[in-house]
């Protein structure tokens, strides 16, 4: 005999839905343990540089300059990214978010797998300073880490201490920064922020940078296991993003 429910039934007459669905998506505790184990495994593999030979799953955040990519990433991660009037992101930045009962913290690391000419070298990982416990310090640490990535011939410790250069050795790099962020308000999630696609360069820019950045982005999104998170400004139709429509 089937059971029917009236629109005016009391809550006690309905099945216990809370016992069946404790969460949806990232908030589902039934899958959180397995999801974290998978993310930890992928992150460990990526740290070895094996992604040059094996297609590892990832989420890649891409978009044109000033398309709101930084704002989107800030809303997801809860941190503030460096901003300027020109191109802000000049190397890939991996964000590894982890839910933890411990207080909020962020560990910044530098990952080198190419030299100043772009040729492959044995993977090298360097911690860039102590763990950060104050979110307000993250923006400046990322800015200094990017200087270290763009000037691989100089010791990263100099940039950690605040050193600057008039001209970087390279304008963009395939070497990347990783942010290992943990806290009670975070969900387990990893993604990579790629340099914004550029259509033109100023007087101080290099024309070759347009193709360099395009090829860098394509090297990530052409992989079958890559989930593309495309940031599009409201006034820009999707069809203007040739890097996506061609691949």
């Amino acid at each position: 005999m089937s059971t029917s429910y009236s629109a005016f039934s009391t809550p006690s007459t309905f099945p216990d839905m809370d016992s069946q669905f404790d969460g949806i998506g990232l908030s589902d505790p039934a899958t959180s343990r397995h999801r974290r184990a998978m993310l930890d495994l992928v992150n460990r593999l990526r740290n070895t540089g094996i992604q040059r030979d094996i297609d590892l799953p990832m989420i890649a955040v891409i978009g044109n300059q000033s398309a709101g990519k930084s704002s989107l990433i800030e809303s997801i991660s809860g941190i503030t990214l460096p901003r300027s009037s020109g191109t802000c992101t000049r190397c890939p930045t991996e964000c590894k978010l982890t839910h933890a009962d411990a207080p909020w913290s962020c560990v910044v690391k530098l990952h080198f797998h190419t030299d100043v000419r772009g040729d492959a070298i044995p993977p090298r990982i360097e911690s860039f300073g102590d763990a950060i416990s104050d979110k307000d310090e993250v923006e400046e640490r990322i800015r200094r880490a990017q200087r270290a990535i763009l000037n691989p011939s100089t010791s990263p410790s100099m940039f950690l201490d605040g050193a600057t250069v008039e001209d970087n050795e390279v304008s963009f790099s395939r070497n990347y920064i990783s942010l290992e962020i943990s806290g009670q308000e975070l969900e387990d999630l990893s993604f990579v922020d790629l340099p914004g696609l550029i259509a033109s360069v100023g007087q101080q820019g290099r024309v070759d940078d347009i193709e360099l950045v395009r090829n860098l982005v394509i090297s990530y999104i052409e992989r079958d296991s890559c989930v593309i998170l495309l940031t599009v400004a409201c006034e820009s139709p999707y069809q203007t993003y040739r890097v996506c429509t061609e691949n």
Side-chain angles (χ1 to χ4, degrees):
M1 180 176 178
S2 62
T3 302
S4 60
Y5 298 99
S6 166
F8 300 99
S9 300
T10 61
S12 61
T13 62
F14 289 93
D16 185 2
M17 300 300 290
D18 291 338
S19 63
Q20 299 180 42
F21 303 101
D22 293 327
I24 298 176
L26 292 177
S27 63
D28 185 358
T31 61
S32 62
R33 181 170 59 86
H34 301 291
R35 183 174 62 249
R36 177 173 298 183
M38 182 191 68
L39 287 174
D40 288 344
L41 175 59
V42 171
N43 289 335
R44 289 198 303 271
L45 289 172
R46 189 172 299 282
N47 287 340
T48 68
I50 201 171
Q51 64 269 23
R52 290 181 297 185
D53 304 310
I54 296 178
D55 193 8
L56 297 177
M58 72 175 69
I59 299 174
V61 185
I62 68 172
N64 288 342
Q65 278 184 322
S66 304
K69 187 163 58 70
S70 295
S71 298
L72 173 64
I73 293 173
E74 288 176 354
S75 66
I76 295 174
S77 63
I79 62 173
T80 301
L81 299 176
R83 294 175 182 267
S84 68
S85 57
T87 302
C88 302
T89 305
R90 293 186 172 270
C91 67
T93 302
E94 287 192 359
C95 292
K96 306 172 183 178
L97 312 181
T98 304
H99 176 80
D101 294 329
W104 186 93
S105 70
C106 175
V107 176
V108 181
K109 294 182 179 179
L110 309 179
H111 299 252
F112 296 95
H113 57 90
T114 62
D115 60 19
V116 68
R117 297 182 300 275
D119 297 328
I121 60 174
R124 187 177 87 252
I125 304 175
E126 295 190 22
S127 295
F128 195 69
D130 298 330
I132 303 172
S133 57
D134 185 349
K135 292 183 180 181
D136 293 337
E137 298 178 5
V138 176
E139 179 180 3
E140 181 59 27
R141 182 72 63 86
I142 296 175
R143 183 177 287 109
R144 297 182 182 187
Q146 187 165 252
R147 290 193 197 116
I149 289 289
L150 298 178
N151 298 277
S153 299
T154 304
S155 172
S157 61
M158 293 186 59
F159 297 105
L160 179 62
D161 294 335
T164 59
V165 292
E166 185 173 344
D167 293 309
N168 294 316
E169 294 179 34
V170 296
S171 51
F172 292 90
S173 177
R174 292 181 179 272
N175 296 324
Y176 64 94
I177 303 167
S178 68
L179 310 176
E180 300 175 2
I181 307 172
S182 60
Q184 299 177 3
E185 72 278 16
L186 299 173
E187 296 294 344
D188 298 318
L189 180 66
S190 292
F191 58 89
V192 58
D193 173 28
L194 298 176
L197 297 164
I198 53 180
S200 60
V201 294
Q203 294 181 349
Q204 302 299 323
R206 307 171 186 173
V207 177
D208 292 344
D209 288 346
I210 298 176
E211 194 67 16
L212 190 155
V213 172
R214 183 177 182 275
N215 291 337
L216 172 60
V217 171
I218 289 177
S219 70
Y220 277 82
I221 67 174
E222 69 181 355
R223 303 170 186 175
D224 292 336
S225 62
C226 179
V227 176
I228 302 172
L229 179 53
L230 175 62
T231 306
V232 182
C234 293
E235 68 274 11
S236 302
Y238 167 78
Q239 289 77 9
T240 62
Y241 287 73
R242 290 176 51 209
V243 71
C244 291
T245 57
E246 294 177 359
N247 294 274

